[in-house]
C-alpha cells in the first residue's frame, strides 16, 4: 500500500538527503558527462520504451545534466525536466540551449513531489537512474500515480544490486541498492514489463508500466 505524501515539502529526512545530493553534485557534475555514458546502461532504451508521441506531456524526473531531454523532445513531446541539484540543472540548461530545438524542454529546479497542478495531466514519466537516489521513493511512486492520466506510462531504468566493493562505491554516490523500489513499482503498476539485467559490475532493471 502506498503512503500518501505531504503536499508541499518533503519530510525532514528527505530534505537532508537532498542537501547531501546537492553537495555531491556540486563537485561531481563537471565529471558526470565524461564518466557516466559508459556505465549507465540502457538509458536510450528507456527513452524508446517510454515512446513519447508528438504533443504528449512528458516528465523526466531527476533529469540530471539532461542526457535524455533532447531525445525525449525530439519526438515532438512537450517535455519538462525536474532536477533538484543546482549544478546538474545548470548543465542541463546549457545542453538544451545547444540543441536548438523548436520546442525545447522546460526545466524545473525542485525535488519531485508535492502539488504542482499537474495531477492526472501527464502522459508519460521517465526516471533514468534517479529513483535509486530518492529516499522517499514510496512518496515518489504515489506522486507518479497522481500525476499520470489513466493509461499514462512510466519507464524506470536503475541500479538493482551489486557485489562489494562496487556496492559500497555506489552507496558513496548516494545510490540506494535493493529490490524495494522495483517491488513498489510492480505493485503500483499492475500492467507492466520488468526486466533485470546483469552488467559487468552490478545488476540493473528496466521497468515500464501503465497507469
Ligand atoms: C544519477 S543522476 C541521473 C541523471 C539523468 N537522469 C541521467 O540518466 O543521466 C540522478 C539525478 O536525480 C536527481 N535527483 C535525485 N533525487 C531527486 C528528487 N527527489 N527530485 C529531483 N531530482 C532528484 C539528482 O540530483 C541527479 O541529478
Amino acid at each position: 500500500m502506498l503512503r500518501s505524501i505531504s503536499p508541499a515539502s518533503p519530510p525532514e529526512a528527505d530534505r537532508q538527503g537532498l542537501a547531501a545530493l546537492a553537495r555531491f553534485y556540486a563537485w561531481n557534475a563537471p565529471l558526470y558527462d565524461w564518466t557516466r555514458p559508459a556505465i549507465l546502461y540502457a538509458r536510450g532504451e528507456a527513452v524508446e520504451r517510454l515512446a513519447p508521441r508528438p504533443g504528449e506531456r512528458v516528465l523526466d524526473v531527476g533529469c540530471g545534466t539532461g542526457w535524455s531531454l533532447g531525445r525525449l523532445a525530439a519526438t515532438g513531446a512537450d517535455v519538462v525536466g525536474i532536477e533538484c541539484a543546482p549544478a546538474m540543472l545548470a548543465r542541463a540548461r546549457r545542453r538544451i540551449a545547444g540543441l536548438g530545438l523548436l520546442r525545447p524542454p522546460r526545466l524545473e529546479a525542485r525535488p519531485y513531489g508535492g502539488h504542482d497542478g499537474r495531477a492526472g495531466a501527464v502522459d508519460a514519466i521517465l526516471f533514468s537512474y534517479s529513483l535509486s537516489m530518492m529516499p522517499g521513493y514510496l512518496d515518489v511512486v504515489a506522486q507518479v500515480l497522481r500525476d499520470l492520466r489513466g493509461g499514462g506510462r512510466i519507464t524506470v531504468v536503475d541500479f538493482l544490486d551489486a557485489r562489494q566493493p562496487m556496492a559500497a562505491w555506489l552507496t558513496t554516490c548516494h545510490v540506494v541498492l535493493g529490490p524495494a523500489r522495483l517491488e513498489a513499482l510492480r505493485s503500483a503498476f499492475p500492467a507492466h514489463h520488468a526486466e533485470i539485467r546483469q552488467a559487468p559490475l552490478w545488476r540493473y532493471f528496466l521497468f515500464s508500466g501503465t497507469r
Side-chain angles (χ1 to χ4, degrees):
M1 188 68 173
L2 296 168
R3 284 181 294 137
S4 64
I5 64 157
S6 56
S9 58
E12 181 58 26
D14 290 7
R15 240 187 335 260
Q16 286 170 9
L18 295 172
L21 263 191
R23 285 195 298 276
F24 174 71
Y25 281 119
W27 65 268
N28 212 275
L31 311 173
Y32 191 88
D33 289 320
W34 293 98
T35 52
R36 302 312 196 272
I39 59 173
L40 295 184
Y41 302 100
R43 286 190 296 179
E45 186 179 345
V47 171
E48 283 163 23
R49 283 182 177 272
L50 192 66
R53 294 185 277 269
E56 280 195 329
R57 286 150 297 185
V58 176
L59 304 183
D60 181 0
V61 178
C63 66
T65 61
W67 191 91
S68 305
L69 288 173
R71 291 163 173 86
L72 292 166
T75 64
D78 176 13
V79 179
V80 175
I82 299 174
E83 172 57 49
C84 64
M88 297 295 265
L89 197 75
R91 289 187 173 258
R93 196 166 283 126
R94 281 207 292 278
R95 185 194 290 258
I96 290 170
L99 292 177
L101 293 166
L102 270 180
R103 294 176 72 175
R106 282 165 292 132
L107 293 174
E108 293 184 5
R110 63 180 180 90
Y112 182 63
H115 296 168
D116 62 5
R118 284 205 179 88
V122 177
D123 297 294
I125 304 186
L126 175 70
F127 289 81
S128 173
Y129 291 94
S130 54
L131 190 59
S132 61
M133 294 194 144
M134 299 180 186
Y137 68 92
L138 289 176
D139 290 344
V140 169
V141 173
Q143 182 70 39
V144 170
L145 286 170
R146 274 193 293 277
D147 282 349
L148 282 180
R149 64 166 170 79
R153 289 115 49 214
I154 175 174
T155 293
V156 182
V157 60
D158 219 328
F159 299 102
L160 181 67
D161 52 26
R163 290 179 192 276
Q164 297 296 1
M166 195 45 63
W169 180 73
L170 286 170
T171 303
T172 66
C173 297
H174 299 265
V175 173
V176 180
L177 295 171
R181 285 163 174 75
L182 181 54
E183 281 164 14
L185 291 166
R186 283 185 202 269
S187 68
F189 300 95
H192 64 254
H193 170 89
E195 254 184 275
I196 294 173
R197 294 184 183 167
Q198 184 73 54
L201 297 170
W202 49 70
R203 291 195 305 166
Y204 67 96
F205 68 86
L206 255 172
F207 177 94
S208 290
T210 303
R211 171 89 167 83

mmCIF file of all heavy atoms in Angstrom, residues 88-135:
data_model
loop_
_atom_site.group_PDB
_atom_site.id
_atom_site.type_symbol
_atom_site.label_atom_id
_atom_site.label_comp_id
_atom_site.label_asym_id
_atom_site.label_seq_id
_atom_site.Cartn_x
_atom_site.Cartn_y
_atom_site.Cartn_z
ATOM 1 N N MET A 88 23.732 20.188 -11.502
ATOM 2 C CA MET A 88 23.274 19.334 -12.609
ATOM 3 C C MET A 88 22.322 20.126 -13.518
ATOM 4 O O MET A 88 22.404 20.064 -14.751
ATOM 5 C CB MET A 88 22.579 18.090 -12.052
ATOM 6 C CG MET A 88 23.483 17.195 -11.237
ATOM 7 S SD MET A 88 24.813 16.455 -12.217
ATOM 8 C CE MET A 88 24.075 14.866 -12.619
ATOM 9 N N LEU A 89 21.444 20.867 -12.878
ATOM 10 C CA LEU A 89 20.469 21.646 -13.631
ATOM 11 C C LEU A 89 21.155 22.665 -14.547
ATOM 12 O O LEU A 89 20.736 22.871 -15.689
ATOM 13 C CB LEU A 89 19.539 22.371 -12.652
ATOM 14 C CG LEU A 89 18.257 22.889 -13.262
ATOM 15 C CD1 LEU A 89 17.297 21.731 -13.510
ATOM 16 C CD2 LEU A 89 17.598 23.898 -12.341
ATOM 17 N N ALA A 90 22.220 23.288 -14.057
ATOM 18 C CA ALA A 90 22.930 24.287 -14.860
ATOM 19 C C ALA A 90 23.460 23.639 -16.139
ATOM 20 O O ALA A 90 23.423 24.227 -17.223
ATOM 21 C CB ALA A 90 24.077 24.881 -14.043
ATOM 22 N N ARG A 91 23.950 22.407 -16.011
ATOM 23 C CA ARG A 91 24.463 21.704 -17.198
ATOM 24 C C ARG A 91 23.336 21.327 -18.148
ATOM 25 O O ARG A 91 23.485 21.397 -19.368
ATOM 26 C CB ARG A 91 25.242 20.468 -16.774
ATOM 27 C CG ARG A 91 26.514 20.910 -16.142
ATOM 28 C CD ARG A 91 27.500 19.869 -15.791
ATOM 29 N NE ARG A 91 28.668 20.627 -15.357
ATOM 30 C CZ ARG A 91 29.754 20.850 -16.085
ATOM 31 N NH1 ARG A 91 29.876 20.305 -17.263
ATOM 32 N NH2 ARG A 91 30.734 21.593 -15.631
ATOM 33 N N ALA A 92 22.194 20.921 -17.577
ATOM 34 C CA ALA A 92 21.039 20.588 -18.425
ATOM 35 C C ALA A 92 20.613 21.826 -19.218
ATOM 36 O O ALA A 92 20.307 21.741 -20.413
ATOM 37 C CB ALA A 92 19.889 20.070 -17.562
ATOM 38 N N ARG A 93 20.619 22.968 -18.535
ATOM 39 C CA ARG A 93 20.201 24.213 -19.197
ATOM 40 C C ARG A 93 21.128 24.502 -20.385
ATOM 41 O O ARG A 93 20.667 24.820 -21.487
ATOM 42 C CB ARG A 93 20.240 25.340 -18.162
ATOM 43 C CG ARG A 93 19.498 26.572 -18.581
ATOM 44 C CD ARG A 93 19.263 27.520 -17.413
ATOM 45 N NE ARG A 93 18.175 27.094 -16.541
ATOM 46 C CZ ARG A 93 18.271 26.918 -15.222
ATOM 47 N NH1 ARG A 93 19.415 27.134 -14.609
ATOM 48 N NH2 ARG A 93 17.229 26.529 -14.514
ATOM 49 N N ARG A 94 22.434 24.365 -20.168
ATOM 50 C CA ARG A 94 23.401 24.631 -21.257
ATOM 51 C C ARG A 94 23.223 23.636 -22.401
ATOM 52 O O ARG A 94 23.287 23.970 -23.565
ATOM 53 C CB ARG A 94 24.826 24.542 -20.726
ATOM 54 C CG ARG A 94 25.249 25.783 -19.973
ATOM 55 C CD ARG A 94 26.764 25.982 -20.030
ATOM 56 N NE ARG A 94 27.500 24.974 -19.291
ATOM 57 C CZ ARG A 94 27.690 25.008 -17.977
ATOM 58 N NH1 ARG A 94 27.187 25.979 -17.262
ATOM 59 N NH2 ARG A 94 28.371 24.068 -17.361
ATOM 60 N N ARG A 95 22.987 22.372 -22.023
ATOM 61 C CA ARG A 95 22.842 21.334 -23.057
ATOM 62 C C ARG A 95 21.632 21.635 -23.936
ATOM 63 O O ARG A 95 21.710 21.570 -25.167
ATOM 64 C CB ARG A 95 22.653 19.965 -22.384
ATOM 65 C CG ARG A 95 22.623 18.806 -23.387
ATOM 66 C CD ARG A 95 22.092 17.549 -22.725
ATOM 67 N NE ARG A 95 23.011 16.999 -21.769
ATOM 68 C CZ ARG A 95 23.808 15.955 -21.962
ATOM 69 N NH1 ARG A 95 23.797 15.355 -23.125
ATOM 70 N NH2 ARG A 95 24.576 15.508 -21.007
ATOM 71 N N ILE A 96 20.519 21.980 -23.306
ATOM 72 C CA ILE A 96 19.299 22.251 -24.068
ATOM 73 C C ILE A 96 19.488 23.438 -24.998
ATOM 74 O O ILE A 96 19.079 23.409 -26.161
ATOM 75 C CB ILE A 96 18.129 22.549 -23.098
ATOM 76 C CG1 ILE A 96 17.712 21.301 -22.367
ATOM 77 C CG2 ILE A 96 16.942 23.107 -23.852
ATOM 78 C CD1 ILE A 96 16.743 21.592 -21.258
ATOM 79 N N ALA A 97 20.141 24.485 -24.470
ATOM 80 C CA ALA A 97 20.344 25.691 -25.287
ATOM 81 C C ALA A 97 21.148 25.345 -26.537
ATOM 82 O O ALA A 97 20.917 25.892 -27.623
ATOM 83 C CB ALA A 97 21.055 26.754 -24.462
ATOM 84 N N GLY A 98 22.080 24.380 -26.408
ATOM 85 C CA GLY A 98 22.931 23.999 -27.533
ATOM 86 C C GLY A 98 22.227 23.134 -28.562
ATOM 87 O O GLY A 98 22.754 22.913 -29.653
ATOM 88 N N LEU A 99 21.057 22.630 -28.246
ATOM 89 C CA LEU A 99 20.386 21.702 -29.164
ATOM 90 C C LEU A 99 19.585 22.425 -30.241
ATOM 91 O O LEU A 99 19.274 21.855 -31.282
ATOM 92 C CB LEU A 99 19.451 20.762 -28.384
ATOM 93 C CG LEU A 99 20.144 19.758 -27.461
ATOM 94 C CD1 LEU A 99 19.116 18.937 -26.699
ATOM 95 C CD2 LEU A 99 21.075 18.849 -28.239
ATOM 96 N N GLY A 100 19.192 23.662 -29.954
ATOM 97 C CA GLY A 100 18.427 24.441 -30.926
ATOM 98 C C GLY A 100 17.109 23.791 -31.309
ATOM 99 O O GLY A 100 16.722 23.822 -32.475
ATOM 100 N N LEU A 101 16.420 23.238 -30.343
ATOM 101 C CA LEU A 101 15.146 22.564 -30.628
ATOM 102 C C LEU A 101 14.017 23.582 -30.805
ATOM 103 O O LEU A 101 14.015 24.635 -30.166
ATOM 104 C CB LEU A 101 14.776 21.620 -29.481
ATOM 105 C CG LEU A 101 15.687 20.411 -29.294
ATOM 106 C CD1 LEU A 101 15.432 19.762 -27.942
ATOM 107 C CD2 LEU A 101 15.443 19.409 -30.419
ATOM 108 N N LEU A 102 13.055 23.216 -31.653
ATOM 109 C CA LEU A 102 11.896 24.085 -31.842
ATOM 110 C C LEU A 102 11.066 24.187 -30.573
ATOM 111 O O LEU A 102 10.588 25.248 -30.206
ATOM 112 C CB LEU A 102 11.003 23.503 -32.964
ATOM 113 C CG LEU A 102 11.299 23.974 -34.383
ATOM 114 C CD1 LEU A 102 10.340 23.313 -35.352
ATOM 115 C CD2 LEU A 102 11.229 25.499 -34.486
ATOM 116 N N ARG A 103 10.895 23.034 -29.915
ATOM 117 C CA ARG A 103 10.144 23.022 -28.644
ATOM 118 C C ARG A 103 11.077 22.494 -27.568
ATOM 119 O O ARG A 103 11.022 21.313 -27.207
ATOM 120 C CB ARG A 103 8.927 22.098 -28.752
ATOM 121 C CG ARG A 103 7.881 22.583 -29.725
ATOM 122 C CD ARG A 103 6.746 21.589 -29.853
ATOM 123 N NE ARG A 103 5.896 21.572 -28.653
ATOM 124 C CZ ARG A 103 4.783 20.858 -28.569
ATOM 125 N NH1 ARG A 103 4.419 20.086 -29.566
ATOM 126 N NH2 ARG A 103 4.058 20.880 -27.484
ATOM 127 N N PRO A 104 11.967 23.364 -27.055
ATOM 128 C CA PRO A 104 12.947 22.877 -26.081
ATOM 129 C C PRO A 104 12.257 22.446 -24.785
ATOM 130 O O PRO A 104 11.232 23.012 -24.407
ATOM 131 C CB PRO A 104 13.841 24.095 -25.839
ATOM 132 C CG PRO A 104 13.072 25.265 -26.311
ATOM 133 C CD PRO A 104 12.070 24.802 -27.315
ATOM 134 N N PRO A 105 12.828 21.466 -24.109
ATOM 135 C CA PRO A 105 12.287 21.052 -22.822
ATOM 136 C C PRO A 105 12.356 22.212 -21.833
ATOM 137 O O PRO A 105 13.257 23.041 -21.921
ATOM 138 C CB PRO A 105 13.233 19.931 -22.381
ATOM 139 C CG PRO A 105 13.941 19.506 -23.613
ATOM 140 C CD PRO A 105 13.991 20.687 -24.510
ATOM 141 N N ARG A 106 11.397 22.256 -20.912
ATOM 142 C CA ARG A 106 11.461 23.227 -19.822
ATOM 143 C C ARG A 106 12.065 22.550 -18.606
ATOM 144 O O ARG A 106 11.962 21.326 -18.461
ATOM 145 C CB ARG A 106 10.052 23.742 -19.501
ATOM 146 C CG ARG A 106 9.575 24.780 -20.524
ATOM 147 C CD ARG A 106 8.095 25.035 -20.462
ATOM 148 N NE ARG A 106 7.352 23.855 -20.905
ATOM 149 C CZ ARG A 106 6.324 23.313 -20.248
ATOM 150 N NH1 ARG A 106 5.935 23.811 -19.100
ATOM 151 N NH2 ARG A 106 5.712 22.250 -20.727
ATOM 152 N N LEU A 107 12.684 23.358 -17.763
ATOM 153 C CA LEU A 107 13.345 22.798 -16.581
ATOM 154 C C LEU A 107 12.700 23.340 -15.317
ATOM 155 O O LEU A 107 12.366 24.527 -15.255
ATOM 156 C CB LEU A 107 14.832 23.151 -16.593
ATOM 157 C CG LEU A 107 15.643 22.495 -17.705
ATOM 158 C CD1 LEU A 107 17.062 23.032 -17.720
ATOM 159 C CD2 LEU A 107 15.659 20.973 -17.538
ATOM 160 N N GLU A 108 12.539 22.475 -14.336
ATOM 161 C CA GLU A 108 12.031 22.903 -13.030
ATOM 162 C C GLU A 108 13.071 22.544 -11.980
ATOM 163 O O GLU A 108 13.444 21.369 -11.843
ATOM 164 C CB GLU A 108 10.692 22.229 -12.736
ATOM 165 C CG GLU A 108 9.618 22.722 -13.695
ATOM 166 C CD GLU A 108 8.233 22.151 -13.397
ATOM 167 O OE1 GLU A 108 8.060 21.439 -12.374
ATOM 168 O OE2 GLU A 108 7.331 22.429 -14.213
ATOM 169 N N ALA A 109 13.507 23.566 -11.238
ATOM 170 C CA ALA A 109 14.540 23.389 -10.206
ATOM 171 C C ALA A 109 13.864 23.067 -8.887
ATOM 172 O O ALA A 109 13.566 23.955 -8.091
ATOM 173 C CB ALA A 109 15.350 24.676 -10.078
ATOM 174 N N ARG A 110 13.616 21.796 -8.655
ATOM 175 C CA ARG A 110 12.942 21.404 -7.408
ATOM 176 C C ARG A 110 13.000 19.896 -7.262
ATOM 177 O O ARG A 110 13.210 19.174 -8.250
ATOM 178 C CB ARG A 110 11.485 21.862 -7.431
ATOM 179 C CG ARG A 110 10.665 21.206 -8.538
ATOM 180 C CD ARG A 110 9.233 21.694 -8.521
ATOM 181 N NE ARG A 110 8.434 21.091 -9.574
ATOM 182 C CZ ARG A 110 7.752 19.947 -9.440
ATOM 183 N NH1 ARG A 110 7.779 19.282 -8.313
ATOM 184 N NH2 ARG A 110 7.049 19.473 -10.453
ATOM 185 N N PRO A 111 12.807 19.422 -6.031
ATOM 186 C CA PRO A 111 12.648 17.977 -5.875
ATOM 187 C C PRO A 111 11.267 17.564 -6.377
ATOM 188 O O PRO A 111 10.314 18.346 -6.276
ATOM 189 C CB PRO A 111 12.772 17.767 -4.353
ATOM 190 C CG PRO A 111 12.478 19.088 -3.746
ATOM 191 C CD PRO A 111 12.793 20.139 -4.759
ATOM 192 N N TYR A 112 11.189 16.398 -6.933
ATOM 193 C CA TYR A 112 9.891 15.889 -7.409
ATOM 194 C C TYR A 112 9.002 15.576 -6.212
ATOM 195 O O TYR A 112 9.445 15.000 -5.229
ATOM 196 C CB TYR A 112 10.114 14.626 -8.232
ATOM 197 C CG TYR A 112 8.842 14.043 -8.810
ATOM 198 C CD1 TYR A 112 8.086 14.763 -9.725
ATOM 199 C CD2 TYR A 112 8.403 12.784 -8.437
ATOM 200 C CE1 TYR A 112 6.923 14.233 -10.268
ATOM 201 C CE2 TYR A 112 7.247 12.236 -8.983
ATOM 202 C CZ TYR A 112 6.513 12.974 -9.891
ATOM 203 O OH TYR A 112 5.366 12.449 -10.424
ATOM 204 N N GLY A 113 7.749 15.937 -6.326
ATOM 205 C CA GLY A 113 6.792 15.657 -5.249
ATOM 206 C C GLY A 113 6.033 16.923 -4.913
ATOM 207 O O GLY A 113 6.438 18.020 -5.258
ATOM 208 N N GLY A 114 4.925 16.744 -4.238
ATOM 209 C CA GLY A 114 4.104 17.898 -3.886
ATOM 210 C C GLY A 114 3.152 18.253 -5.007
ATOM 211 O O GLY A 114 3.252 17.730 -6.111
ATOM 212 N N HIS A 115 2.263 19.164 -4.712
ATOM 213 C CA HIS A 115 1.225 19.519 -5.681
ATOM 214 C C HIS A 115 1.739 20.594 -6.614
ATOM 215 O O HIS A 115 2.195 21.623 -6.172
ATOM 216 C CB HIS A 115 -0.017 20.037 -4.958
ATOM 217 C CG HIS A 115 -0.638 18.979 -4.101
ATOM 218 N ND1 HIS A 115 -1.605 19.242 -3.185
ATOM 219 C CD2 HIS A 115 -0.392 17.660 -4.025
ATOM 220 C CE1 HIS A 115 -1.942 18.125 -2.570
ATOM 221 N NE2 HIS A 115 -1.225 17.143 -3.057
ATOM 222 N N ASP A 116 1.699 20.335 -7.903
ATOM 223 C CA ASP A 116 2.137 21.364 -8.840
ATOM 224 C C ASP A 116 1.110 21.572 -9.938
ATOM 225 O O ASP A 116 1.410 22.096 -10.988
ATOM 226 C CB ASP A 116 3.495 20.984 -9.443
ATOM 227 C CG ASP A 116 3.414 19.681 -10.233
ATOM 228 O OD1 ASP A 116 2.296 19.150 -10.370
ATOM 229 O OD2 ASP A 116 4.449 19.219 -10.705
ATOM 230 N N GLY A 117 -0.106 21.146 -9.691
ATOM 231 C CA GLY A 117 -1.181 21.401 -10.649
ATOM 232 C C GLY A 117 -1.187 20.482 -11.843
ATOM 233 O O GLY A 117 -1.911 20.706 -12.797
ATOM 234 N N ARG A 118 -0.384 19.403 -11.793
ATOM 235 C CA ARG A 118 -0.334 18.509 -12.953
ATOM 236 C C ARG A 118 -1.179 17.262 -12.764
ATOM 237 O O ARG A 118 -1.186 16.394 -13.630
ATOM 238 C CB ARG A 118 1.095 18.036 -13.194
ATOM 239 C CG ARG A 118 1.979 19.050 -13.825
ATOM 240 C CD ARG A 118 3.113 18.381 -14.570
ATOM 241 N NE ARG A 118 3.936 19.384 -15.186
ATOM 242 C CZ ARG A 118 4.960 19.966 -14.578
ATOM 243 N NH1 ARG A 118 5.309 19.617 -13.368
ATOM 244 N NH2 ARG A 118 5.651 20.902 -15.195
ATOM 245 N N ALA A 119 -1.844 17.143 -11.644
ATOM 246 C CA ALA A 119 -2.498 15.878 -11.310
ATOM 247 C C ALA A 119 -3.329 15.342 -12.476
ATOM 248 O O ALA A 119 -4.194 16.035 -13.016
ATOM 249 C CB ALA A 119 -3.369 16.065 -10.078
ATOM 250 N N GLY A 120 -3.043 14.140 -12.871
ATOM 251 C CA GLY A 120 -3.810 13.463 -13.911
ATOM 252 C C GLY A 120 -3.569 14.015 -15.305
ATOM 253 O O GLY A 120 -4.261 13.626 -16.248
ATOM 254 N N ALA A 121 -2.591 14.916 -15.462
ATOM 255 C CA ALA A 121 -2.422 15.594 -16.752
ATOM 256 C C ALA A 121 -1.161 15.167 -17.488
ATOM 257 O O ALA A 121 -0.850 15.707 -18.545
ATOM 258 C CB ALA A 121 -2.392 17.106 -16.541
ATOM 259 N N VAL A 122 -0.424 14.206 -16.950
ATOM 260 C CA VAL A 122 0.857 13.824 -17.557
ATOM 261 C C VAL A 122 0.672 12.507 -18.327
ATOM 262 O O VAL A 122 0.034 11.570 -17.845
ATOM 263 C CB VAL A 122 1.942 13.680 -16.460
ATOM 264 C CG1 VAL A 122 3.253 13.213 -17.057
ATOM 265 C CG2 VAL A 122 2.126 14.999 -15.722
ATOM 266 N N ASP A 123 1.246 12.466 -19.530
ATOM 267 C CA ASP A 123 1.105 11.263 -20.360
ATOM 268 C C ASP A 123 2.177 10.227 -20.076
ATOM 269 O O ASP A 123 1.928 9.021 -20.203
ATOM 270 C CB ASP A 123 1.176 11.644 -21.847
ATOM 271 C CG ASP A 123 0.036 12.553 -22.261
ATOM 272 O OD1 ASP A 123 -1.111 12.084 -22.240
ATOM 273 O OD2 ASP A 123 0.294 13.730 -22.562
ATOM 274 N N ALA A 124 3.380 10.674 -19.741
ATOM 275 C CA ALA A 124 4.478 9.709 -19.597
ATOM 276 C C ALA A 124 5.560 10.291 -18.686
ATOM 277 O O ALA A 124 5.826 11.499 -18.719
ATOM 278 C CB ALA A 124 5.069 9.395 -20.972
ATOM 279 N N ILE A 125 6.164 9.424 -17.870
ATOM 280 C CA ILE A 125 7.199 9.868 -16.919
ATOM 281 C C ILE A 125 8.398 8.926 -17.002
ATOM 282 O O ILE A 125 8.244 7.706 -16.971
ATOM 283 C CB ILE A 125 6.655 9.892 -15.474
ATOM 284 C CG1 ILE A 125 5.407 10.787 -15.387
ATOM 285 C CG2 ILE A 125 7.730 10.385 -14.507
ATOM 286 C CD1 ILE A 125 4.865 10.996 -13.989
ATOM 287 N N LEU A 126 9.588 9.545 -17.091
ATOM 288 C CA LEU A 126 10.842 8.797 -17.137
ATOM 289 C C LEU A 126 11.641 9.018 -15.847
ATOM 290 O O LEU A 126 11.770 10.163 -15.384
ATOM 291 C CB LEU A 126 11.689 9.294 -18.322
ATOM 292 C CG LEU A 126 13.090 8.693 -18.444
ATOM 293 C CD1 LEU A 126 13.029 7.216 -18.857
ATOM 294 C CD2 LEU A 126 13.927 9.496 -19.449
ATOM 295 N N PHE A 127 12.163 7.931 -15.284
ATOM 296 C CA PHE A 127 13.166 8.003 -14.226
ATOM 297 C C PHE A 127 14.385 7.251 -14.743
ATOM 298 O O PHE A 127 14.355 6.017 -14.854
ATOM 299 C CB PHE A 127 12.697 7.310 -12.941
ATOM 300 C CG PHE A 127 11.600 8.023 -12.191
ATOM 301 C CD1 PHE A 127 10.279 7.890 -12.590
ATOM 302 C CD2 PHE A 127 11.882 8.801 -11.080
ATOM 303 C CE1 PHE A 127 9.261 8.532 -11.888
ATOM 304 C CE2 PHE A 127 10.882 9.444 -10.375
ATOM 305 C CZ PHE A 127 9.567 9.308 -10.779
ATOM 306 N N SER A 128 15.439 7.973 -15.064
ATOM 307 C CA SER A 128 16.644 7.331 -15.574
ATOM 308 C C SER A 128 17.726 7.447 -14.507
ATOM 309 O O SER A 128 18.289 8.528 -14.304
ATOM 310 C CB SER A 128 17.068 8.034 -16.880
ATOM 311 O OG SER A 128 18.313 7.559 -17.322
ATOM 312 N N TYR A 129 17.977 6.377 -13.807
ATOM 313 C CA TYR A 129 18.973 6.322 -12.730
ATOM 314 C C TYR A 129 18.745 7.420 -11.680
ATOM 315 O O TYR A 129 19.711 7.966 -11.140
ATOM 316 C CB TYR A 129 20.388 6.385 -13.308
ATOM 317 C CG TYR A 129 20.735 5.127 -14.076
ATOM 318 C CD1 TYR A 129 20.554 5.044 -15.453
ATOM 319 C CD2 TYR A 129 21.181 3.990 -13.394
ATOM 320 C CE1 TYR A 129 20.832 3.875 -16.154
ATOM 321 C CE2 TYR A 129 21.458 2.818 -14.095
ATOM 322 C CZ TYR A 129 21.284 2.767 -15.461
ATOM 323 O OH TYR A 129 21.554 1.602 -16.151
ATOM 324 N N SER A 130 17.498 7.728 -11.413
ATOM 325 C CA SER A 130 17.205 8.756 -10.402
ATOM 326 C C SER A 130 16.394 8.219 -9.229
ATOM 327 O O SER A 130 16.587 8.656 -8.093
ATOM 328 C CB SER A 130 16.475 9.943 -11.050
ATOM 329 O OG SER A 130 15.330 9.513 -11.753
ATOM 330 N N LEU A 131 15.512 7.233 -9.485
ATOM 331 C CA LEU A 131 14.674 6.738 -8.377
ATOM 332 C C LEU A 131 15.539 6.160 -7.246
ATOM 333 O O LEU A 131 15.200 6.288 -6.071
ATOM 334 C CB LEU A 131 13.692 5.688 -8.910
ATOM 335 C CG LEU A 131 12.588 5.244 -7.953
ATOM 336 C CD1 LEU A 131 11.713 6.412 -7.509
ATOM 337 C CD2 LEU A 131 11.728 4.145 -8.571
ATOM 338 N N SER A 132 16.658 5.542 -7.603
ATOM 339 C CA SER A 132 17.537 4.941 -6.586
ATOM 340 C C SER A 132 18.160 5.984 -5.672
ATOM 341 O O SER A 132 18.725 5.654 -4.634
ATOM 342 C CB SER A 132 18.655 4.130 -7.247
ATOM 343 O OG SER A 132 19.446 4.978 -8.059
ATOM 344 N N MET A 133 18.051 7.259 -6.051
ATOM 345 C CA MET A 133 18.631 8.333 -5.217
ATOM 346 C C MET A 133 17.564 9.011 -4.379
ATOM 347 O O MET A 133 17.867 10.004 -3.707
ATOM 348 C CB MET A 133 19.283 9.375 -6.108
ATOM 349 C CG MET A 133 20.469 8.853 -6.855
ATOM 350 S SD MET A 133 21.387 10.231 -7.534
ATOM 351 C CE MET A 133 23.032 9.631 -7.355
ATOM 352 N N MET A 134 16.336 8.527 -4.452
ATOM 353 C CA MET A 134 15.236 9.215 -3.763
ATOM 354 C C MET A 134 14.850 8.425 -2.523
ATOM 355 O O MET A 134 14.236 7.357 -2.623
ATOM 356 C CB MET A 134 14.047 9.374 -4.710
ATOM 357 C CG MET A 134 14.422 10.217 -5.916
ATOM 358 S SD MET A 134 13.094 10.453 -7.084
ATOM 359 C CE MET A 134 13.957 11.319 -8.396
ATOM 360 N N PRO A 135 15.225 8.939 -1.330
ATOM 361 C CA PRO A 135 14.959 8.191 -0.105
ATOM 362 C C PRO A 135 13.455 7.941 0.084
ATOM 363 O O PRO A 135 13.044 6.855 0.487
ATOM 364 C CB PRO A 135 15.495 9.104 1.010
ATOM 365 C CG PRO A 135 16.330 10.131 0.341
ATOM 366 C CD PRO A 135 15.891 10.218 -1.093
#
